[in-house]
Amino acid sequence: MKRVGLVAAALAAAVAPVVAAAPKPDRLTPDGIETIEDAVAHCRATGTRGWDLVDEATHLVFRKYSYYSAYHWWETPRQAFERSRGQSNQYNTALARVLRALGFTVRTVHAARVRLDRAPWWHVGHTWLHVTIDGDTRDVCASKIENTAGDVEFTPMTPVRPFRGLTYVDTTLGLAPIAVAATWRSWLERKPLPRWLYRRFGEGVTE
């Protein structure tokens, strides 16, 4: 038990400074949007329907984010949305909540590896949405402003699986030690945070 306590203390000592030094929010409020509920109300007020409404919600969620951040892995999708930062678990889960509130049939999915247009295929796993209207199911993702329903900028390289609560926990716990180690390395080497960890939203890793 003493050894377990020492390990826990060491982990806490490594994680606490990373959390304390996390970049502060750069909040965006496109069209006055601050919360997921605001986004739902805004989309309803546009009067659009069907796939046009799906695209309206997708582009609104994209515009709400200032930074892609795998650094802030501990934030809930709601917190990440309001603070305008996050990674696919967070921003596409927020989009799923908007679309479900608008009455769409939405299934959240995940692949352990995807090929991105502007990043190595092995860069990250990815979470996105399958939205169904009248039997037509399309991929939906808020990672790029150019994305529209059925036309996204990535290709799954591993099986596409349902994204459940346990998936969220597993992927977050898997990301946390990698993010902490990368942050410490950047500090020790006196270099900026790696772009795969923290960058302007919508930019590629290799830009």
Side-chain angles (χ1 to χ4, degrees):
M1 292 298 295
K2 183 177 180 180
R3 182 175 297 177
V4 172
L6 290 173
V7 171
L11 289 174
V15 172
V18 173
V19 174
K24 302 303 180 186
D26 180 9
R27 298 176 191 266
L28 299 180
T29 56
D31 300 311
I33 305 303
E34 295 184 359
T35 67
I36 289 174
E37 289 75 19
D38 292 340
V40 173
H42 172 86
C43 289
R44 283 178 176 154
T46 64
T48 56
R49 298 289 186 272
W51 292 115
D52 288 339
L53 182 55
V54 173
D55 289 342
E56 175 72 28
T58 302
H59 295 155
L60 178 60
V61 170
F62 174 88
R63 293 189 293 118
K64 181 68 175 74
Y65 284 77
S66 56
Y67 280 90
Y68 172 90
S69 177
Y71 192 121
H72 300 86
W73 40 267
W74 60 87
E75 294 184 341
T76 67
R78 176 176 292 276
Q79 290 171 329
F81 183 85
E82 293 176 0
R83 296 166 186 174
S84 300
R85 62 196 182 193
Q87 39 86 17
S88 64
N89 281 7
Q90 295 160 321
Y91 61 76
N92 277 331
T93 295
L95 175 58
R97 293 178 182 179
V98 172
L99 292 174
R100 289 189 182 110
L102 292 171
F104 293 104
T105 300
V106 180
R107 188 166 70 105
T108 308
V109 296
H110 179 82
R113 292 290 181 271
V114 298
R115 186 184 298 279
L116 302 170
D117 286 353
R118 290 182 285 178
W121 72 269
W122 43 262
H123 171 52
V124 286
H126 194 62
T127 298
W128 70 101
L129 310 178
H130 283 171
V131 179
T132 302
I133 300 177
D134 296 331
D136 180 13
T137 299
R138 302 182 186 180
D139 292 323
V140 172
C141 176
S143 62
K144 297 285 183 181
I145 192 63
E146 299 89 353
N147 285 352
T148 56
D151 185 10
V152 294
E153 61 91 34
F154 61 88
T155 303
M157 303 303 294
T158 57
V160 177
R161 304 185 186 281
F163 185 90
R164 301 184 175 91
L166 184 59
T167 313
Y168 191 96
V169 173
D170 286 346
T171 53
T172 300
L173 291 178
L175 173 63
I178 300 171
V180 170
T183 302
W184 273 103
R185 181 174 181 176
S186 72
W187 291 346
L188 294 172
E189 295 180 351
R190 298 185 179 182
K191 293 180 179 180
L193 291 170
R195 290 179 58 80
W196 68 262
L197 183 68
Y198 191 75
R199 63 184 183 274
R200 277 286 175 183
F201 200 69
E203 292 182 355
V205 176
T206 57
E207 291 180 344

